[in-house]
Amino acid sequence: MADQRVAARYAKSLLDLGKEMGTLSAVKDDMDLLSKTMAESRELRLLLRNPIVKHDKKLAILKAIFGGKVSDMTLRFFTILTEKNRESAIEGIGPEFLAQYNAMQGIQSAEVTSATPLTAVARLEIRKLVTQQTGLTDVQLTEKVDPELIGGFVLRVGDNQIDDSVRTSLRRMRTSLQENSYQSKL
């Protein structure tokens, strides 16, 4: 929890600095890359959390991975984080930065999981539903396919979830039948 607050503070600082320096789009691209790299590399996450590995070693690894791929400002940012002993927060900074960036730009992120790939019409309906829920017209939709849903969809917008899947409907029906069966025995 403490790392999440630290990540939020550093992400806000980086967002403000990028805006001030006029390099916000480059920093956003850097944070996209950071988020993707951290999500794909368990070893890197564990290394950055490891208190035995020295800070200069962690910085050298970050520079080796991201050098030439991110802006100088982002590399200096990594240097500050390692000097302040905040390497463990790096994992959360990318997603936190992107969330704050989207909020600042008026972009709403949403994730939809469906049993089959969405059609263009269904995608449009989902976007309209998210717009009605949030009031934001710019919707960034992430699509996933889970055949176990059988049909329908599960939509996540921030902390809210709309589960209109056949799997959940069947589960509710089973629970209801079990309760009714139990009640009739009494």
Side-chain angles (χ1 to χ4, degrees):
M1 188 63 156
D3 276 345
Q4 190 173 358
R5 279 197 302 261
V6 170
R9 288 182 188 140
Y10 276 103
K12 172 110 174 72
S13 297
L14 188 59
L15 185 76
D16 292 343
L17 183 63
K19 201 161 84 173
E20 182 181 313
M21 304 272 299
T23 59
L24 191 56
S25 64
V27 174
K28 186 212 178 284
D29 293 341
D30 294 347
M31 292 298 108
D32 284 336
L33 177 63
L34 174 67
S35 294
K36 183 176 185 276
T37 304
M38 295 301 283
E40 293 174 353
S41 178
R42 180 177 184 267
E43 294 84 10
L44 180 59
R45 292 191 309 266
L46 292 174
L47 174 102
L48 292 174
R49 289 186 211 140
N50 190 337
I52 297 171
V53 179
K54 295 190 183 311
H55 304 297
D56 56 339
K57 202 58 127 170
K58 292 177 185 179
L59 179 60
I61 291 169
L62 287 170
K63 285 183 176 180
I65 293 171
F66 295 106
K69 298 176 186 169
V70 297
S71 66
D72 287 338
M73 186 169 78
T74 301
L75 286 176
R76 287 193 307 263
F77 182 69
F78 290 154
T79 303
I80 292 168
L81 288 170
T82 55
E83 287 173 355
K84 302 279 186 188
N85 192 23
R86 297 295 193 180
E87 302 93 348
S88 60
I90 291 176
E91 180 181 349
I93 290 174
E96 186 62 40
F97 178 91
L98 297 173
Q100 290 181 23
Y101 176 86
N102 286 345
M104 183 183 82
Q105 298 294 329
I107 300 169
Q108 178 61 57
S109 295
E111 179 183 290
V112 64
T113 307
S114 58
T116 59
L118 293 178
T119 64
V121 173
R123 190 174 295 115
L124 200 60
E125 287 297 317
I126 296 289
R127 286 183 186 279
K128 189 169 25 169
L129 182 63
V130 172
T131 299
Q132 289 172 350
Q133 292 279 323
T134 63
L136 299 173
T137 56
D138 194 357
V139 177
Q140 189 177 53
L141 195 61
T142 305
E143 299 177 28
K144 293 183 179 179
V145 175
D146 181 4
E148 291 190 13
L149 291 179
I150 303 169
F153 65 91
V154 177
L155 176 65
R156 285 187 185 86
V157 181
D159 292 338
N160 298 326
Q161 177 173 301
I162 299 170
D163 190 340
D164 194 27
S165 65
V166 173
R167 177 179 64 185
T168 301
S169 297
L170 289 172
R171 194 176 298 142
R172 284 186 197 128
M173 188 182 307
R174 181 178 350 129
T175 303
S176 174
L177 289 172
Q178 287 172 342
E179 288 174 1
N180 289 339
S181 172
Y182 178 74
Q183 293 293 329
S184 65
K185 290 179 183 178
L186 293 178

